[in-house]
């Protein structure tokens, strides 16, 4: 691998900066708002059902999350939820969209050492405006040759990205916190992938089986990739 890699792609949320804990706190706020209708754990389950039902329509990101909270609230209240509560749900979403950017440990230092030796890109899912805001506020924009906000991260999506970059799979390395989105599709194409576990993972992105593959690396932190390169 060491002599093959030319392009290194990084997931953004929970790989470069903190994201999922903010969503989980927002979900807790939402569940507390609706505990007069259902126990909080049941509200959480209903919200997840709504998110999965609408994922093909809304994609990933805060705006879809807001719409799913409102739909869930309407359903479990039998369309009797007060307008005031809807306003509070929207406020939860607005707060999410204005969260400060907190880089994860070792990110800037690792990018410093890789820049100039590799073509660095961001390949992440999410809402376009929100991800652009986060990247701008992160102070990391200058490290990256290309930014790709992807509607999904399946094999076909990576094929399009590699074609756009004019990069062969064997020259491509993806780093991210999701086995399902950042690792498996890239390895299926013949690329290299490094998993950087994050202590909080959205249920939709969880992958339980232990993964073993010659193109796969399990890291403890982003800085560990330097020992492979």
């Amino acid at each position: 691998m060491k002599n093959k890699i030319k392009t290194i792609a990084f997931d953004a949320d929970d790989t470069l900066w903190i994201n999922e804990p903010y969503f989980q706190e927002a979900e807790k706020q939402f569940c507390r708002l609706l505990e007069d209708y259902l126990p909080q754990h049941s509200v959480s389950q209903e919200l997840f059902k709504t998110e999965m039902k609408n994922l093909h329509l809304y994609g990933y990101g805060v705006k879809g999350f807001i719409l799913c909270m409102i739909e869930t609230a309407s359903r479990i209240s039998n369309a009797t939820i007060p307008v005031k509560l809807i306003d509070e749900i929207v406020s939860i979403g607005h707060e999410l969209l204005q969260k400060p950017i907190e880089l994860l440990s070792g990110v800037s230092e690792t990018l410093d050492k890789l820049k100039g030796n590799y073509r660095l890109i961001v390949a992440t899912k999410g809402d376009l405006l929100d991800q652009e805001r986060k990247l701008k506020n992160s102070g990391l924009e200058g490290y990256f040759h290309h930014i790709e906000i992807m509607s999904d991260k399946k094999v076909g999506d990576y094929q399009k990205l590699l074609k756009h970059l004019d990069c062969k799979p064997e020259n491509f390395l993806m780093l991210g916190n999701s086995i399902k989105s950042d690792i498996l599709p890239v390895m299926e194409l013949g690329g290299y992938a490094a998993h950087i576990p994050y202590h909080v993972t959205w249920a939709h992105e969880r992958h339980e089986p232990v993964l073993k593959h010659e193109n796969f690396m399990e890291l403890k932190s982003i800085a560990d990739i330097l020992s492979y390169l």
Side-chain angles (χ1 to χ4, degrees):
M1 182 193 80
K2 188 173 183 179
N3 298 319
K4 292 181 179 179
I5 299 302
K6 296 179 180 178
T7 299
I8 303 177
F10 297 84
D11 176 52
D13 294 335
D14 300 315
T15 298
L16 298 178
W17 52 67
I18 291 173
N19 179 68
E20 182 59 22
Y22 294 148
F23 270 87
Q24 294 208 355
E25 178 54 37
E27 182 174 323
K28 289 177 183 177
Q29 293 178 45
F30 172 70
C31 293
R32 287 195 293 269
L33 281 179
L34 296 176
E35 62 184 352
D36 288 342
Y37 300 95
L38 279 179
Q40 291 187 29
H41 72 276
S42 297
V43 176
S44 179
Q45 291 170 354
E46 290 300 319
L47 175 59
F48 186 71
K49 289 178 187 177
T50 308
E51 289 179 291
M52 293 303 97
K53 177 176 72 75
N54 292 328
L55 196 56
H56 70 291
L57 295 173
Y58 300 155
Y60 300 84
V62 179
K63 293 174 186 174
F65 181 64
I66 296 171
L67 290 172
C68 287
M69 286 192 291
I70 293 172
E71 180 180 334
T72 302
S74 177
R75 182 175 70 250
I76 67 178
S77 70
N78 293 316
T80 62
I81 186 170
V83 172
K84 181 182 178 182
L85 281 185
I86 294 177
D87 287 342
E88 291 186 52
I89 292 169
V90 173
S91 293
I92 291 172
H94 284 176
E95 186 178 335
L96 258 183
L97 288 166
Q98 298 176 73
K99 287 290 186 182
I101 303 305
E102 184 176 344
L103 297 182
L104 291 169
S105 177
V107 167
S108 297
E109 295 84 353
T110 302
L111 293 175
D112 272 331
K113 292 180 179 179
L114 294 175
K115 187 179 181 182
N117 297 311
Y118 302 91
R119 178 169 56 168
L120 306 182
I121 73 165
V122 171
T124 191
K125 293 186 292 191
D127 177 78
L128 177 62
L129 289 178
D130 187 37
Q131 294 295 51
E132 287 179 340
R133 173 192 66 83
K134 287 192 280 190
L135 186 61
K136 181 179 179 181
N137 292 344
S138 72
L140 300 177
E141 270 187 303
Y143 288 107
F144 299 110
H145 168 81
H146 177 73
I147 311 297
E148 188 78 13
I149 313 297
M150 305 167 75
S151 58
D152 209 339
K153 281 183 168 180
K154 296 180 179 177
V155 172
D157 302 294
Y158 281 105
Q159 285 176 322
K160 291 177 184 177
L161 174 60
L162 290 173
K163 183 177 181 180
H164 177 74
L165 295 171
D166 193 23
C167 178
K168 296 178 181 178
E170 60 265 30
N171 301 135
F172 182 77
L173 168 64
M174 179 73 199
L175 282 79
N177 68 299
S178 170
I179 294 286
K180 182 177 179 180
S181 294
D182 302 317
I183 309 302
L184 296 177
V186 173
M187 291 197 305
E188 187 172 334
L189 287 172
Y192 293 86
H195 180 228
I196 310 169
Y198 190 64
H199 68 282
V200 181
T201 304
W202 185 31
H204 180 63
E205 297 289 352
R206 291 173 191 160
H207 182 274
E208 297 301 335
V210 176
L211 185 61
K212 292 185 178 180
H213 192 282
E214 61 182 0
N215 288 13
F216 172 70
M217 290 148 280
E218 183 75 42
L219 310 181
K220 291 182 179 179
S221 71
I222 193 170
D224 288 350
I225 194 60
L226 298 174
S227 63
Y228 289 91
L229 298 171

